Amino acid sequence: MVSRHCAYCLIPLEADKVKMCGGCKKRSYCSRDCQVNDWGAVGQHHKQWCKEQICEEDIDWEIRETVDGKGLGVFSKRLLPKHTRIMVDRGYRKIEDVPLPFINALMPHEGTLQEKWDLNSFYREESGDNLGIRLARVNHDCRNNATNKFITDLNAFILIAIRDIQEGEEISIQYHFYNDISTSKGYRDAREQVIREKWSVNCLESCICRDKVLAERIQKAHELDSMIPTMPMKTEEQIKRVLKNVDLLLKESEQISNGIMALSRTYYDGFQIAILHKKTYPLHKMYIQKYLESCEIVDSKLSSTYQQALKYYQNPSIHRNHF
Ligand SMILES: [Zn+2]
Ligand SMILES: [Zn+2]
Ligand SMILES: [Zn+2]
């Protein structure tokens, strides 16, 4: 009986052939070679994540056929509470780097390498095209229960639950980022067209992503997000006005957007702005604390982003904005 998969070469393992990572005691391998490869950047860079609480395939979630014929999907095997770090997945920049067993399994089965790449790679404005071999199995849903971020300096995707996910539930993300307030309307519309053509995602008029009122709020939040850095921030009054907008944006993000990712960036903005003036300085504490907490969820503790956040938290005066 197949109980696990090798975390590096992805082959199914029989129960008595499983070799476990001695650190996290969760990740499984077929051989010592695969474990060594997976530890470094040539593989999934498990060294960065072994000490952190990351879910594992076959323990916390599994890849299997969906009932509605979409093909494969990712399903939770237990209750995954909000903000659970579901998976970390290395981003491959070209199809040639993807492990062979996975290339063979990629849709379209009879397709060329280029067709497989086009269908399964994930594009983000900030990082370009990347293919995550497990992330590619996560299907789209406009009412998604998870969200993903590409951590550029670690070259990895991280997938996070944005609400409690019940045992047996399919884990889903949005392919079109329709409520991602950090992107422009033009970008989101173009993205929607791409996913319609590429993955045949056709939403009904009744779908949440077609809601006019929500669309307007998303647009307003996006405008606010773009406006904040351009506002004057010299006097105490000006800074207080900007921070009022930061708080408004945080509130809106919480309600309309894709969760923790949007909030994280805005908390950092609040911190950077509050420390500009002696009078608003005490306000920085809340922002940097929330920012650090969000980094603990969306990043590795070994990453430069997290380490930098920790330094600012411990000593805000090292930031160039400090009054
Ligand atoms: Zn292996
Ligand atoms: Zn480990
Ligand atoms: Zn939709």
Side-chain angles (χ1 to χ4, degrees):
M1 201 188 88
V2 172
S3 59
R4 300 293 310 265
H5 289 79
C6 174
Y8 180 70
C9 75
L10 309 169
I11 62 162
L13 304 171
E14 280 164 44
D16 58 341
K17 300 266 166 60
V18 177
K19 290 185 171 55
M20 214 66 91
C21 170
C24 57
K25 300 192 168 58
K26 280 183 100 176
R27 213 162 160 83
S28 56
Y29 300 99
C30 69
S31 64
R32 168 109 184 114
D33 277 356
C34 277
Q35 183 177 7
V36 170
N37 285 333
D38 190 53
W39 189 252
V42 61
Q44 295 279 335
H45 218 167
H46 185 54
K47 184 184 174 188
Q48 294 270 6
W49 302 99
C50 183
K51 285 206 173 70
E52 304 205 19
Q53 302 296 313
I54 307 285
C55 293
E56 275 294 333
E57 181 171 8
D58 305 320
I59 297 179
D60 306 296
W61 51 267
E62 64 184 344
I63 294 172
R64 60 173 159 89
E65 291 285 335
T66 62
V67 283
D68 58 5
K70 272 187 295 198
L72 294 172
V74 179
F75 293 82
S76 68
K77 291 191 79 172
R78 64 169 175 93
L79 170 73
L80 303 174
K82 181 178 178 181
H83 291 167
T84 296
R85 309 205 282 173
I86 304 167
M87 69 167 78
V88 161
D89 203 18
R90 178 204 157 147
Y92 289 96
R93 301 303 301 243
K94 12 185 233 296
I95 193 89
E96 291 78 19
D97 298 339
V98 178
L100 200 59
F102 191 79
I103 291 187
N104 295 336
L106 279 179
M107 298 277 278
H109 285 312
E110 306 302 322
T112 63
L113 287 182
Q114 188 61 43
E115 284 165 348
K116 284 171 187 268
W117 176 261
D118 289 344
L119 191 66
N120 294 282
S121 61
F122 210 85
Y123 178 79
R124 291 293 318 227
E125 249 173 349
E126 66 279 14
S127 53
D129 264 326
N130 268 293
L131 190 138
I133 55 180
R134 292 171 186 82
L135 191 79
R137 299 304 193 200
V138 181
N139 289 310
H140 165 89
D141 196 321
C142 290
R143 289 187 186 275
N144 55 319
N145 52 23
T147 188
N148 71 305
K149 175 193 169 187
F150 189 75
I151 308 171
T152 311
D153 68 324
L154 300 182
N155 195 32
F157 291 100
I158 186 160
L159 181 70
I160 292 150
I162 56 170
R163 62 165 171 79
D164 291 355
I165 301 174
Q166 303 303 317
E167 182 181 340
E169 208 182 316
E170 182 172 3
I171 298 166
S172 58
I173 56 175
Q174 277 175 13
Y175 288 1
H176 53 24
F177 324 123
Y178 84 93
N179 63 358
D180 181 347
I181 57 149
S182 69
T183 57
S184 69
K185 171 112 175 51
Y187 174 73
R188 293 193 300 268
D189 287 348
R191 182 79 200 171
E192 202 186 312
Q193 194 181 338
V194 168
I195 73 159
R196 206 179 306 127
E197 286 161 9
K198 213 162 144 175
W199 294 293
S200 314
V201 173
N202 285 302
C203 289
L204 299 171
E205 278 310 307
S206 59
C207 185
I208 177 102
C209 73
R210 293 269 188 271
D211 189 283
K212 294 268 185 323
V213 179
L214 184 60
E216 213 160 279
R217 279 178 78 182
I218 292 165
Q219 186 55 22
K220 282 228 171 78
H222 171 66
E223 282 161 17
L224 189 57
D225 185 46
S226 323
M227 187 186 77
I228 285 171
T230 69
M231 292 175 73
M233 300 179 214
K234 278 224 143 28
T235 67
E236 182 190 347
E237 283 65 39
Q238 286 172 339
I239 293 170
K240 280 188 171 157
R241 200 171 308 134
V242 183
L243 288 176
K244 219 173 242 164
N245 282 306
V246 167
D247 292 345
L248 184 67
L249 182 60
L250 284 170
K251 219 164 122 198
E252 276 296 273
S253 299
E254 186 115 48
Q255 290 176 14
I256 59 179
S257 93
N258 229 329
I260 187 85
M261 311 297 183
L263 292 171
S264 180
R265 225 167 35 91
T266 311
Y267 284 131
Y268 183 63
D269 281 346
F271 163 71
Q272 292 194 84
I273 294 163
I275 59 172
L276 282 165
H277 199 282
K278 194 161 56 185
K279 284 280 169 55
T280 54
Y281 180 76
L283 299 169
H284 85 273
K285 198 90 201 144
M286 183 276 283
Y287 295 115
I288 192 67
Q289 190 157 352
K290 292 277 193 185
Y291 177 60
L292 189 65
E293 281 168 20
S294 67
C295 286
E296 280 179 28
I297 298 166
V298 303
D299 231 307
S300 160
K301 284 195 175 141
L302 295 176
S303 82
S304 55
T305 311
Y306 178 84
Q307 290 300 325
Q308 195 60 51
L310 187 62
K311 279 184 195 152
Y312 290 147
Y313 175 76
Q314 289 163 340
N315 186 7
S317 68
I318 59 170
H319 194 284
R320 64 188 149 75
N321 279 10
H322 191 265
F323 64 90

